[in-house]
Amino acid sequence: MNAHAIQHAFALFRAGRFQETTVACQQALARRPGDESLATLWAMSLQHLGCDREAAALYRQLANAHPQAAGHHTNLGLMLRRLGDYADAEAAYLH
């Protein structure tokens, strides 16, 4: 995975081109599975697109893979709250 693909995905995100960002992240993750930055960017893009369930699923994967990263738990909590799952949102926040 080269730095150009990552920079391209971030540039798309900064430009507000969230659908294209999700595609770029998926393609890059196919070449570099488990990349935390790309997965986070993908989840953020989904969140901006209103795909809360999909974003929550990615944030859950990230929180499980990186339990010390508070941001993933917070983002998961935000998505769960938007989905009306208040008990699990609270648990995510308190992790």
Side-chain angles (χ1 to χ4, degrees), residues 57-91:
L58 278 172
Y59 285 131
R60 187 179 306 280
Q61 290 174 5
L62 284 159
N64 289 336
H66 308 279
Q68 299 305 318
H72 299 318
H73 296 281
T74 300
N75 287 329
L76 173 59
L78 289 170
M79 290 295 90
L80 292 172
R81 192 173 125 238
R82 281 173 50 170
L83 292 167
D85 189 347
Y86 301 109
D88 283 346
E90 182 178 357

Side-chain angles (χ1 to χ4, degrees), residues 1-9:
M1 173 72 183
N2 62 38
H4 176 71
I6 295 171
Q7 291 171 347
H8 176 67

Side-chain angles (χ1 to χ4, degrees), residues 2-95:
N2 62 38
H4 176 71
I6 295 171
Q7 291 171 347
H8 176 67
F10 276 99
L12 290 169
F13 184 84
R14 283 190 303 275
R17 295 164 59 185
F18 305 120
Q19 186 63 46
E20 292 171 76
T21 305
T22 63
V23 172
C25 289
Q26 289 172 315
Q27 291 172 347
L29 283 164
R31 293 185 300 273
R32 188 172 175 163
D35 185 289
E36 183 179 6
S37 294
L38 285 168
T40 302
L41 186 61
W42 182 14
M44 290 168 54
S45 297
L46 289 169
Q47 184 176 345
H48 280 280
L49 291 169
C51 301
D52 295 345
R53 286 195 193 290
E54 294 86 350
L58 278 172
Y59 285 131
R60 187 179 306 280
Q61 290 174 5
L62 284 159
N64 289 336
H66 308 279
Q68 299 305 318
H72 299 318
H73 296 281
T74 300
N75 287 329
L76 173 59
L78 289 170
M79 290 295 90
L80 292 172
R81 192 173 125 238
R82 281 173 50 170
L83 292 167
D85 189 347
Y86 301 109
D88 283 346
E90 182 178 357
Y93 291 138
L94 296 175
H95 180 80

